[in-house]
Amino acid sequence: EVRTMLRKEVDYIAEKKMTDFYREAFKDDDRVKVPKTYERYTTRKILATEYCEGVSLQDESIKELSKDRKDNLCQALLDVYFYELYELRVLQTDTHFGNFKFNVKDGVDQLVLLDFGACKKYTKPFVEAIKMAQSGVWKNESEMGEKR
């Protein structure tokens, strides 16, 4: 599995296709930005994308945001994850905050998604099993909350 993912990480033609897939998947969500790719300049060794504004999670501008704006960015992160898993049945398996940027300029709060080299596709039965397990956890937690 690790070997397969490492090969995927350096296959820039495949990563371009996956970046384009994500860009199309999130095109109607203003909270999410996926960079455009440039086929003309992309090769097996180079992935050419547009530059997207944004800062890391640790940036001072993020710390200074209101609670509501921070909550909205966190909600966008969760929505991306659940949409990836349950609707697209694809996940970025190399998820860390180096693969996200946050564009918070001029009151526009946007999650910038980067690095689609190590994405994994899942079968519908696998995703349904995850959904069932997750629903059971949420149901159990809800019942536990009611008993307190």
Side-chain angles (χ1 to χ4, degrees), residues 92-123:
Q92 294 172 284
T93 59
D94 185 22
T95 11
H96 57 79
F97 283 113
N99 287 342
F100 299 94
K101 293 196 303 186
F102 300 89
N103 183 355
V104 294
K105 279 188 166 182
D106 306 320
V108 174
D109 297 332
Q110 200 171 45
L111 174 63
V112 181
L113 304 180
L114 305 167
D115 192 357
F116 301 93
C119 291
K120 183 168 173 96
K121 296 178 182 181
Y122 296 95
T123 65

PDB file of all heavy atoms in Angstrom, residues 92-123:
ATOM      1  N   GLN A  92      -8.264  12.115   0.019  1.00  0.00           N
ATOM      2  CA  GLN A  92      -6.851  12.458   0.001  1.00  0.00           C
ATOM      3  C   GLN A  92      -6.239  11.689   1.173  1.00  0.00           C
ATOM      4  O   GLN A  92      -6.583  11.935   2.320  1.00  0.00           O
ATOM      5  CB  GLN A  92      -6.650  13.948   0.233  1.00  0.00           C
ATOM      6  CG  GLN A  92      -7.178  14.836  -0.868  1.00  0.00           C
ATOM      7  CD  GLN A  92      -7.114  16.292  -0.459  1.00  0.00           C
ATOM      8  OE1 GLN A  92      -7.933  16.727   0.329  1.00  0.00           O
ATOM      9  NE2 GLN A  92      -6.158  17.011  -0.986  1.00  0.00           N
ATOM     10  N   THR A  93      -5.353  10.768   0.891  1.00  0.00           N
ATOM     11  CA  THR A  93      -4.815   9.938   1.974  1.00  0.00           C
ATOM     12  C   THR A  93      -3.572  10.549   2.607  1.00  0.00           C
ATOM     13  O   THR A  93      -3.053  10.014   3.571  1.00  0.00           O
ATOM     14  CB  THR A  93      -4.480   8.522   1.463  1.00  0.00           C
ATOM     15  OG1 THR A  93      -3.518   8.625   0.411  1.00  0.00           O
ATOM     16  CG2 THR A  93      -5.726   7.818   0.959  1.00  0.00           C
ATOM     17  N   ASP A  94      -3.113  11.650   2.065  1.00  0.00           N
ATOM     18  CA  ASP A  94      -1.952  12.352   2.602  1.00  0.00           C
ATOM     19  C   ASP A  94      -2.424  13.658   3.233  1.00  0.00           C
ATOM     20  O   ASP A  94      -1.919  14.727   2.954  1.00  0.00           O
ATOM     21  CB  ASP A  94      -0.951  12.611   1.464  1.00  0.00           C
ATOM     22  CG  ASP A  94       0.342  13.236   1.957  1.00  0.00           C
ATOM     23  OD1 ASP A  94       0.656  13.095   3.149  1.00  0.00           O
ATOM     24  OD2 ASP A  94       1.039  13.866   1.142  1.00  0.00           O
ATOM     25  N   THR A  95      -3.457  13.539   4.064  1.00  0.00           N
ATOM     26  CA  THR A  95      -4.049  14.751   4.627  1.00  0.00           C
ATOM     27  C   THR A  95      -3.246  15.258   5.809  1.00  0.00           C
ATOM     28  O   THR A  95      -3.066  14.562   6.789  1.00  0.00           O
ATOM     29  CB  THR A  95      -5.487  14.500   5.114  1.00  0.00           C
ATOM     30  OG1 THR A  95      -5.758  13.126   5.114  1.00  0.00           O
ATOM     31  CG2 THR A  95      -6.495  15.187   4.310  1.00  0.00           C
ATOM     32  N   HIS A  96      -2.775  16.442   5.662  1.00  0.00           N
ATOM     33  CA  HIS A  96      -2.124  17.181   6.739  1.00  0.00           C
ATOM     34  C   HIS A  96      -2.263  18.653   6.385  1.00  0.00           C
ATOM     35  O   HIS A  96      -2.622  18.996   5.256  1.00  0.00           O
ATOM     36  CB  HIS A  96      -0.654  16.755   6.915  1.00  0.00           C
ATOM     37  CG  HIS A  96       0.164  16.900   5.690  1.00  0.00           C
ATOM     38  ND1 HIS A  96       0.672  18.103   5.260  1.00  0.00           N
ATOM     39  CD2 HIS A  96       0.547  15.978   4.764  1.00  0.00           C
ATOM     40  CE1 HIS A  96       1.352  17.927   4.143  1.00  0.00           C
ATOM     41  NE2 HIS A  96       1.279  16.645   3.817  1.00  0.00           N
ATOM     42  N   PHE A  97      -2.012  19.517   7.345  1.00  0.00           N
ATOM     43  CA  PHE A  97      -2.299  20.935   7.110  1.00  0.00           C
ATOM     44  C   PHE A  97      -1.344  21.590   6.127  1.00  0.00           C
ATOM     45  O   PHE A  97      -1.555  22.730   5.735  1.00  0.00           O
ATOM     46  CB  PHE A  97      -2.389  21.699   8.430  1.00  0.00           C
ATOM     47  CG  PHE A  97      -3.696  21.451   9.125  1.00  0.00           C
ATOM     48  CD1 PHE A  97      -3.742  20.754  10.320  1.00  0.00           C
ATOM     49  CD2 PHE A  97      -4.884  21.877   8.570  1.00  0.00           C
ATOM     50  CE1 PHE A  97      -4.955  20.504  10.952  1.00  0.00           C
ATOM     51  CE2 PHE A  97      -6.102  21.634   9.179  1.00  0.00           C
ATOM     52  CZ  PHE A  97      -6.131  20.947  10.380  1.00  0.00           C
ATOM     53  N   GLY A  98      -0.316  20.879   5.663  1.00  0.00           N
ATOM     54  CA  GLY A  98       0.497  21.385   4.572  1.00  0.00           C
ATOM     55  C   GLY A  98      -0.226  21.287   3.234  1.00  0.00           C
ATOM     56  O   GLY A  98       0.152  21.939   2.268  1.00  0.00           O
ATOM     57  N   ASN A  99      -1.275  20.489   3.179  1.00  0.00           N
ATOM     58  CA  ASN A  99      -2.044  20.331   1.951  1.00  0.00           C
ATOM     59  C   ASN A  99      -3.312  21.181   1.922  1.00  0.00           C
ATOM     60  O   ASN A  99      -4.173  20.990   1.078  1.00  0.00           O
ATOM     61  CB  ASN A  99      -2.406  18.856   1.746  1.00  0.00           C
ATOM     62  CG  ASN A  99      -1.203  18.035   1.335  1.00  0.00           C
ATOM     63  OD1 ASN A  99      -0.199  18.574   0.886  1.00  0.00           O
ATOM     64  ND2 ASN A  99      -1.286  16.732   1.494  1.00  0.00           N
ATOM     65  N   PHE A 100      -3.417  22.089   2.867  1.00  0.00           N
ATOM     66  CA  PHE A 100      -4.527  23.035   2.919  1.00  0.00           C
ATOM     67  C   PHE A 100      -3.954  24.428   3.139  1.00  0.00           C
ATOM     68  O   PHE A 100      -2.968  24.595   3.837  1.00  0.00           O
ATOM     69  CB  PHE A 100      -5.453  22.765   4.118  1.00  0.00           C
ATOM     70  CG  PHE A 100      -6.106  21.431   4.108  1.00  0.00           C
ATOM     71  CD1 PHE A 100      -5.543  20.364   4.782  1.00  0.00           C
ATOM     72  CD2 PHE A 100      -7.302  21.235   3.443  1.00  0.00           C
ATOM     73  CE1 PHE A 100      -6.147  19.125   4.796  1.00  0.00           C
ATOM     74  CE2 PHE A 100      -7.916  19.992   3.449  1.00  0.00           C
ATOM     75  CZ  PHE A 100      -7.335  18.944   4.133  1.00  0.00           C
ATOM     76  N   LYS A 101      -4.592  25.394   2.556  1.00  0.00           N
ATOM     77  CA  LYS A 101      -4.314  26.785   2.880  1.00  0.00           C
ATOM     78  C   LYS A 101      -5.658  27.432   3.163  1.00  0.00           C
ATOM     79  O   LYS A 101      -6.704  26.919   2.771  1.00  0.00           O
ATOM     80  CB  LYS A 101      -3.622  27.506   1.725  1.00  0.00           C
ATOM     81  CG  LYS A 101      -2.237  27.003   1.438  1.00  0.00           C
ATOM     82  CD  LYS A 101      -1.391  27.925   0.568  1.00  0.00           C
ATOM     83  CE  LYS A 101      -1.957  28.280  -0.762  1.00  0.00           C
ATOM     84  NZ  LYS A 101      -1.031  29.045  -1.613  1.00  0.00           N
ATOM     85  N   PHE A 102      -5.597  28.543   3.837  1.00  0.00           N
ATOM     86  CA  PHE A 102      -6.817  29.263   4.176  1.00  0.00           C
ATOM     87  C   PHE A 102      -6.700  30.672   3.618  1.00  0.00           C
ATOM     88  O   PHE A 102      -5.778  31.404   3.960  1.00  0.00           O
ATOM     89  CB  PHE A 102      -7.007  29.289   5.697  1.00  0.00           C
ATOM     90  CG  PHE A 102      -7.118  27.917   6.285  1.00  0.00           C
ATOM     91  CD1 PHE A 102      -5.989  27.226   6.691  1.00  0.00           C
ATOM     92  CD2 PHE A 102      -8.345  27.300   6.406  1.00  0.00           C
ATOM     93  CE1 PHE A 102      -6.069  25.953   7.211  1.00  0.00           C
ATOM     94  CE2 PHE A 102      -8.447  26.015   6.930  1.00  0.00           C
ATOM     95  CZ  PHE A 102      -7.304  25.346   7.329  1.00  0.00           C
ATOM     96  N   ASN A 103      -7.629  31.026   2.748  1.00  0.00           N
ATOM     97  CA  ASN A 103      -7.656  32.362   2.177  1.00  0.00           C
ATOM     98  C   ASN A 103      -8.693  33.165   2.958  1.00  0.00           C
ATOM     99  O   ASN A 103      -9.883  32.893   2.857  1.00  0.00           O
ATOM    100  CB  ASN A 103      -8.016  32.306   0.695  1.00  0.00           C
ATOM    101  CG  ASN A 103      -7.990  33.675   0.042  1.00  0.00           C
ATOM    102  OD1 ASN A 103      -7.787  34.678   0.710  1.00  0.00           O
ATOM    103  ND2 ASN A 103      -8.202  33.704  -1.249  1.00  0.00           N
ATOM    104  N   VAL A 104      -8.208  34.094   3.740  1.00  0.00           N
ATOM    105  CA  VAL A 104      -9.106  34.881   4.593  1.00  0.00           C
ATOM    106  C   VAL A 104      -8.977  36.377   4.301  1.00  0.00           C
ATOM    107  O   VAL A 104      -9.306  37.203   5.136  1.00  0.00           O
ATOM    108  CB  VAL A 104      -8.850  34.583   6.096  1.00  0.00           C
ATOM    109  CG1 VAL A 104      -9.217  33.151   6.423  1.00  0.00           C
ATOM    110  CG2 VAL A 104      -7.401  34.869   6.486  1.00  0.00           C
ATOM    111  N   LYS A 105      -8.524  36.698   3.105  1.00  0.00           N
ATOM    112  CA  LYS A 105      -8.373  38.105   2.713  1.00  0.00           C
ATOM    113  C   LYS A 105      -9.725  38.731   2.422  1.00  0.00           C
ATOM    114  O   LYS A 105     -10.617  38.077   1.882  1.00  0.00           O
ATOM    115  CB  LYS A 105      -7.506  38.218   1.466  1.00  0.00           C
ATOM    116  CG  LYS A 105      -6.038  38.158   1.732  1.00  0.00           C
ATOM    117  CD  LYS A 105      -5.296  38.469   0.448  1.00  0.00           C
ATOM    118  CE  LYS A 105      -3.851  38.751   0.737  1.00  0.00           C
ATOM    119  NZ  LYS A 105      -3.125  39.088  -0.484  1.00  0.00           N
ATOM    120  N   ASP A 106      -9.842  39.984   2.757  1.00  0.00           N
ATOM    121  CA  ASP A 106     -11.015  40.792   2.389  1.00  0.00           C
ATOM    122  C   ASP A 106     -12.341  40.170   2.825  1.00  0.00           C
ATOM    123  O   ASP A 106     -13.342  40.292   2.123  1.00  0.00           O
ATOM    124  CB  ASP A 106     -11.032  41.042   0.875  1.00  0.00           C
ATOM    125  CG  ASP A 106      -9.729  41.663   0.379  1.00  0.00           C
ATOM    126  OD1 ASP A 106      -9.189  42.537   1.089  1.00  0.00           O
ATOM    127  OD2 ASP A 106      -9.251  41.259  -0.695  1.00  0.00           O
ATOM    128  N   GLY A 107     -12.328  39.464   3.952  1.00  0.00           N
ATOM    129  CA  GLY A 107     -13.555  38.881   4.472  1.00  0.00           C
ATOM    130  C   GLY A 107     -14.028  37.642   3.741  1.00  0.00           C
ATOM    131  O   GLY A 107     -15.093  37.115   4.027  1.00  0.00           O
ATOM    132  N   VAL A 108     -13.258  37.188   2.760  1.00  0.00           N
ATOM    133  CA  VAL A 108     -13.593  35.961   2.031  1.00  0.00           C
ATOM    134  C   VAL A 108     -12.886  34.808   2.730  1.00  0.00           C
ATOM    135  O   VAL A 108     -11.674  34.798   2.837  1.00  0.00           O
ATOM    136  CB  VAL A 108     -13.109  36.044   0.563  1.00  0.00           C
ATOM    137  CG1 VAL A 108     -13.324  34.714  -0.146  1.00  0.00           C
ATOM    138  CG2 VAL A 108     -13.810  37.162  -0.165  1.00  0.00           C
ATOM    139  N   ASP A 109     -13.645  33.875   3.227  1.00  0.00           N
ATOM    140  CA  ASP A 109     -13.054  32.727   3.911  1.00  0.00           C
ATOM    141  C   ASP A 109     -13.158  31.521   2.994  1.00  0.00           C
ATOM    142  O   ASP A 109     -14.255  31.068   2.667  1.00  0.00           O
ATOM    143  CB  ASP A 109     -13.774  32.463   5.236  1.00  0.00           C
ATOM    144  CG  ASP A 109     -13.610  33.633   6.196  1.00  0.00           C
ATOM    145  OD1 ASP A 109     -12.594  34.342   6.101  1.00  0.00           O
ATOM    146  OD2 ASP A 109     -14.499  33.824   7.036  1.00  0.00           O
ATOM    147  N   GLN A 110     -11.998  31.045   2.602  1.00  0.00           N
ATOM    148  CA  GLN A 110     -11.969  29.963   1.627  1.00  0.00           C
ATOM    149  C   GLN A 110     -10.891  28.960   2.009  1.00  0.00           C
ATOM    150  O   GLN A 110      -9.787  29.314   2.394  1.00  0.00           O
ATOM    151  CB  GLN A 110     -11.661  30.558   0.252  1.00  0.00           C
ATOM    152  CG  GLN A 110     -12.035  29.703  -0.900  1.00  0.00           C
ATOM    153  CD  GLN A 110     -11.894  30.465  -2.206  1.00  0.00           C
ATOM    154  OE1 GLN A 110     -10.913  31.153  -2.434  1.00  0.00           O
ATOM    155  NE2 GLN A 110     -12.894  30.333  -3.062  1.00  0.00           N
ATOM    156  N   LEU A 111     -11.238  27.700   1.887  1.00  0.00           N
ATOM    157  CA  LEU A 111     -10.316  26.599   2.095  1.00  0.00           C
ATOM    158  C   LEU A 111      -9.694  26.268   0.749  1.00  0.00           C
ATOM    159  O   LEU A 111     -10.405  26.032  -0.228  1.00  0.00           O
ATOM    160  CB  LEU A 111     -11.098  25.400   2.639  1.00  0.00           C
ATOM    161  CG  LEU A 111     -10.384  24.084   2.798  1.00  0.00           C
ATOM    162  CD1 LEU A 111      -9.258  24.202   3.811  1.00  0.00           C
ATOM    163  CD2 LEU A 111     -11.375  23.022   3.241  1.00  0.00           C
ATOM    164  N   VAL A 112      -8.370  26.277   0.682  1.00  0.00           N
ATOM    165  CA  VAL A 112      -7.656  25.965  -0.554  1.00  0.00           C
ATOM    166  C   VAL A 112      -7.106  24.545  -0.420  1.00  0.00           C
ATOM    167  O   VAL A 112      -6.323  24.265   0.489  1.00  0.00           O
ATOM    168  CB  VAL A 112      -6.506  26.965  -0.825  1.00  0.00           C
ATOM    169  CG1 VAL A 112      -5.798  26.617  -2.122  1.00  0.00           C
ATOM    170  CG2 VAL A 112      -7.035  28.397  -0.851  1.00  0.00           C
ATOM    171  N   LEU A 113      -7.540  23.658  -1.293  1.00  0.00           N
ATOM    172  CA  LEU A 113      -7.096  22.264  -1.266  1.00  0.00           C
ATOM    173  C   LEU A 113      -5.912  22.083  -2.207  1.00  0.00           C
ATOM    174  O   LEU A 113      -5.942  22.548  -3.347  1.00  0.00           O
ATOM    175  CB  LEU A 113      -8.223  21.328  -1.707  1.00  0.00           C
ATOM    176  CG  LEU A 113      -9.534  21.401  -0.937  1.00  0.00           C
ATOM    177  CD1 LEU A 113     -10.533  20.394  -1.511  1.00  0.00           C
ATOM    178  CD2 LEU A 113      -9.323  21.154   0.539  1.00  0.00           C
ATOM    179  N   LEU A 114      -4.893  21.391  -1.722  1.00  0.00           N
ATOM    180  CA  LEU A 114      -3.677  21.149  -2.502  1.00  0.00           C
ATOM    181  C   LEU A 114      -3.287  19.680  -2.433  1.00  0.00           C
ATOM    182  O   LEU A 114      -3.672  18.982  -1.502  1.00  0.00           O
ATOM    183  CB  LEU A 114      -2.521  21.986  -1.933  1.00  0.00           C
ATOM    184  CG  LEU A 114      -2.744  23.485  -1.810  1.00  0.00           C
ATOM    185  CD1 LEU A 114      -1.657  24.104  -0.963  1.00  0.00           C
ATOM    186  CD2 LEU A 114      -2.810  24.125  -3.180  1.00  0.00           C
ATOM    187  N   ASP A 115      -2.521  19.235  -3.386  1.00  0.00           N
ATOM    188  CA  ASP A 115      -1.862  17.925  -3.383  1.00  0.00           C
ATOM    189  C   ASP A 115      -2.842  16.757  -3.462  1.00  0.00           C
ATOM    190  O   ASP A 115      -3.296  16.227  -2.454  1.00  0.00           O
ATOM    191  CB  ASP A 115      -0.960  17.764  -2.161  1.00  0.00           C
ATOM    192  CG  ASP A 115      -0.053  16.544  -2.273  1.00  0.00           C
ATOM    193  OD1 ASP A 115      -0.158  15.791  -3.264  1.00  0.00           O
ATOM    194  OD2 ASP A 115       0.757  16.332  -1.373  1.00  0.00           O
ATOM    195  N   PHE A 116      -3.113  16.348  -4.672  1.00  0.00           N
ATOM    196  CA  PHE A 116      -4.039  15.247  -4.912  1.00  0.00           C
ATOM    197  C   PHE A 116      -3.313  14.011  -5.447  1.00  0.00           C
ATOM    198  O   PHE A 116      -3.900  13.180  -6.120  1.00  0.00           O
ATOM    199  CB  PHE A 116      -5.129  15.696  -5.888  1.00  0.00           C
ATOM    200  CG  PHE A 116      -5.900  16.872  -5.363  1.00  0.00           C
ATOM    201  CD1 PHE A 116      -5.530  18.161  -5.692  1.00  0.00           C
ATOM    202  CD2 PHE A 116      -6.955  16.684  -4.502  1.00  0.00           C
ATOM    203  CE1 PHE A 116      -6.218  19.253  -5.189  1.00  0.00           C
ATOM    204  CE2 PHE A 116      -7.656  17.764  -3.987  1.00  0.00           C
ATOM    205  CZ  PHE A 116      -7.283  19.060  -4.329  1.00  0.00           C
ATOM    206  N   GLY A 117      -2.037  13.902  -5.119  1.00  0.00           N
ATOM    207  CA  GLY A 117      -1.233  12.794  -5.618  1.00  0.00           C
ATOM    208  C   GLY A 117      -1.550  11.460  -4.974  1.00  0.00           C
ATOM    209  O   GLY A 117      -1.441  10.416  -5.611  1.00  0.00           O
ATOM    210  N   ALA A 118      -1.933  11.484  -3.715  1.00  0.00           N
ATOM    211  CA  ALA A 118      -2.166  10.225  -2.995  1.00  0.00           C
ATOM    212  C   ALA A 118      -3.638  10.078  -2.630  1.00  0.00           C
ATOM    213  O   ALA A 118      -3.993   9.949  -1.475  1.00  0.00           O
ATOM    214  CB  ALA A 118      -1.300  10.165  -1.744  1.00  0.00           C
ATOM    215  N   CYS A 119      -4.494  10.106  -3.635  1.00  0.00           N
ATOM    216  CA  CYS A 119      -5.923   9.919  -3.399  1.00  0.00           C
ATOM    217  C   CYS A 119      -6.266   8.447  -3.584  1.00  0.00           C
ATOM    218  O   CYS A 119      -5.703   7.763  -4.425  1.00  0.00           O
ATOM    219  CB  CYS A 119      -6.743  10.758  -4.369  1.00  0.00           C
ATOM    220  SG  CYS A 119      -6.614  12.522  -4.061  1.00  0.00           S
ATOM    221  N   LYS A 120      -7.194   8.002  -2.778  1.00  0.00           N
ATOM    222  CA  LYS A 120      -7.613   6.600  -2.845  1.00  0.00           C
ATOM    223  C   LYS A 120      -9.114   6.544  -3.099  1.00  0.00           C
ATOM    224  O   LYS A 120      -9.889   7.244  -2.448  1.00  0.00           O
ATOM    225  CB  LYS A 120      -7.267   5.879  -1.551  1.00  0.00           C
ATOM    226  CG  LYS A 120      -7.611   4.406  -1.585  1.00  0.00           C
ATOM    227  CD  LYS A 120      -7.002   3.664  -0.434  1.00  0.00           C
ATOM    228  CE  LYS A 120      -7.492   2.255  -0.387  1.00  0.00           C
ATOM    229  NZ  LYS A 120      -6.642   1.306  -1.007  1.00  0.00           N
ATOM    230  N   LYS A 121      -9.490   5.701  -4.045  1.00  0.00           N
ATOM    231  CA  LYS A 121     -10.903   5.488  -4.352  1.00  0.00           C
ATOM    232  C   LYS A 121     -11.417   4.312  -3.526  1.00  0.00           C
ATOM    233  O   LYS A 121     -10.694   3.347  -3.306  1.00  0.00           O
ATOM    234  CB  LYS A 121     -11.081   5.207  -5.842  1.00  0.00           C
ATOM    235  CG  LYS A 121     -10.686   6.374  -6.714  1.00  0.00           C
ATOM    236  CD  LYS A 121     -10.836   6.052  -8.178  1.00  0.00           C
ATOM    237  CE  LYS A 121     -10.372   7.247  -8.999  1.00  0.00           C
ATOM    238  NZ  LYS A 121     -10.497   7.025 -10.426  1.00  0.00           N
ATOM    239  N   TYR A 122     -12.666   4.415  -3.090  1.00  0.00           N
ATOM    240  CA  TYR A 122     -13.272   3.378  -2.273  1.00  0.00           C
ATOM    241  C   TYR A 122     -14.527   2.847  -2.947  1.00  0.00           C
ATOM    242  O   TYR A 122     -15.233   3.581  -3.635  1.00  0.00           O
ATOM    243  CB  TYR A 122     -13.617   3.923  -0.879  1.00  0.00           C
ATOM    244  CG  TYR A 122     -12.388   4.326  -0.116  1.00  0.00           C
ATOM    245  CD1 TYR A 122     -11.945   5.641  -0.114  1.00  0.00           C
ATOM    246  CD2 TYR A 122     -11.644   3.388   0.589  1.00  0.00           C
ATOM    247  CE1 TYR A 122     -10.794   6.008   0.568  1.00  0.00           C
ATOM    248  CE2 TYR A 122     -10.494   3.744   1.273  1.00  0.00           C
ATOM    249  CZ  TYR A 122     -10.075   5.063   1.255  1.00  0.00           C
ATOM    250  OH  TYR A 122      -8.945   5.423   1.923  1.00  0.00           O
ATOM    251  N   THR A 123     -14.831   1.594  -2.697  1.00  0.00           N
ATOM    252  CA  THR A 123     -16.034   0.981  -3.266  1.00  0.00           C
ATOM    253  C   THR A 123     -17.263   1.450  -2.498  1.00  0.00           C
ATOM    254  O   THR A 123     -17.178   1.847  -1.325  1.00  0.00           O
ATOM    255  CB  THR A 123     -15.954  -0.553  -3.197  1.00  0.00           C
ATOM    256  OG1 THR A 123     -15.938  -0.947  -1.818  1.00  0.00           O
ATOM    257  CG2 THR A 123     -14.730  -1.087  -3.925  1.00  0.00           C
TER     258      THR A 123
END
